[in-house]
Amino acid sequence: MSQLTIDADYIASLDSSFLDVEDAETLPPECYTSQEFYDFEKEALFTREWLCVGRADWVPEPGNYFTTKTVGEPIIVARNQAGEIHAMSAVCQHRAMLVAEGKGTARNFLCPYHHWAYSLEGDLVGIPEMQRTCKFDKSKFGLPKFKVELWNGFIFINMDPEAAPLAPRLTQVTEAIAGYNLENAKDERPGEAPEFPWNWKVMFENNNDGYHASRLHHGPLHDFIPSGLASFPEADPADAGYLRYNGTLHPDASFNPTQKALLPVFPGLTEEERNRATFANVPPSLSLVMTSDLVIYLILRPTGPESLEMDTGILAAPKAARDPAYIHKLDTIQATAEKIIAQDFHVDENVQIGLRSRYAVRGRYSWQEGAQVQFNRWLIHRFREFVKTTPPVAAAAE
């Protein structure tokens, strides 16, 4: 096996993906297939960046909690008795048993193995039969705690205790989607998250690819949002997110057989916003697809170099559920969305197969793929910062 050494020289080889879209080329295939590169990303991105883990209304009452995981880390998110949302590792600090699974309501988290008990804030509060253990300080054995920040009703965590706040680096995205008032939107919470056999970046790229819209999705369910009307606002690579806009052929276009909004339009939208779809992204975990009457959110949670789980949910204007036909209209929208998504998933799976091929190359971009270069810049900026202060990661490449 060859050795893949991820150091400053390797990251410098990615510079051609940082160029303007007219000159840029795609990332190397091994960035999507290599276990070693995935291990690098876990340290360079996922343990340092803000990760979306769910919605605040998933834990509406004190004592409510849910569990999730990303890059192999089991996580608990809970609302304590004071109404504050906390996030922590689910790994018992005794023998590594998970102290919680699924979702529910609890006064504390009791490890089922040996009954070590932890508060809703993650503090160790119960330790049976530990009185003979020498120099045991229970204050040092709480569940590892993560920083928490709420943004537009989404819960973000950061495993880095020194991480800078999220919101100040999301000003452009926050202003662009303010009319949706997502903090107060009605949430249709996702069910069980399936696992998909492709790299998390393949998913992120496809969701922001304006180039394929008029080709892969050609037909009456999607033709109102042509690729030629895509635009890509400038974004600083140091920012926490970026945008893609896509003009529509008529106002209040939406993904259903009528091509028009079936649910109430978000009341805060301007005329300009009602004549486009907005794609808002907070890598590496949150992507939003926004039309006048509906927002689809995707929460990406990698499980390996070539696999991920994804929570997919829907947000609507607060008064949408007052309509007696709300559920039926939602069913119509979801049936249409599933047809479009099935096309995307088929492509994602086959792209991943192609990336493993010896004939996979670093390709070139169309102007309609401006969001891909924005994503590349977001990634490479962080890779550069990481290798400045971290020893090279060397391992056997596949």
Side-chain angles (χ1 to χ4, degrees), residues 50-60 66 68 75-79 85-87 147-158 166 285-286 299:
W50 288 93
L51 309 177
C52 184
V53 292
R55 294 275 299 171
D57 50 17
W58 294 6
V59 284
F66 68 88
T68 186
I75 297 161
I76 304 172
V77 179
R79 191 181 290 272
I85 295 177
H86 290 259
K147 298 187 77 168
V148 173
E149 192 167 330
L150 299 183
W151 178 78
N152 275 282
F154 291 98
I155 303 169
F156 282 81
I157 70 165
N158 201 308
L166 172 67
S285 56
L286 180 65
I299 301 175

Side-chain angles (χ1 to χ4, degrees), residues 262-273:
L262 291 180
L263 302 176
V265 170
F266 285 90
L269 298 182
T270 65
E271 181 178 351
E272 180 181 14
E273 290 165 342

Side-chain angles (χ1 to χ4, degrees), residues 171-234:
T171 302
Q172 182 184 23
V173 175
T174 300
E175 292 175 351
I177 67 173
Y180 286 91
N181 188 18
L182 293 186
E183 182 177 356
N184 297 307
K186 176 171 175 52
D187 183 17
E188 294 297 331
R189 183 176 177 179
E192 282 296 312
E195 186 170 63
F196 301 105
W198 49 83
N199 182 271
W200 70 275
K201 294 186 294 300
V202 169
M203 186 78 243
F204 224 101
E205 290 171 344
N206 179 73
N207 200 50
N208 288 282
D209 178 18
Y211 193 25
H212 81 277
S214 292
R215 292 142 186 115
L216 177 67
H217 299 314
H218 177 68
L221 298 181
H222 205 285
D223 281 351
F224 59 85
I225 182 170
S227 297
L229 295 182
S231 62
F232 311 96
E234 287 293 324

Side-chain angles (χ1 to χ4, degrees), residues 3 57 91 97 104 152 238 246 272 275 301 313 316 333 343 383:
Q3 292 288 315
D57 50 17
V91 178
M97 176 67 182
N152 275 282
N246 211 113
E272 180 181 14
N275 278 273
R301 300 186 284 107
I333 294 168
Q343 294 174 326
F383 295 160

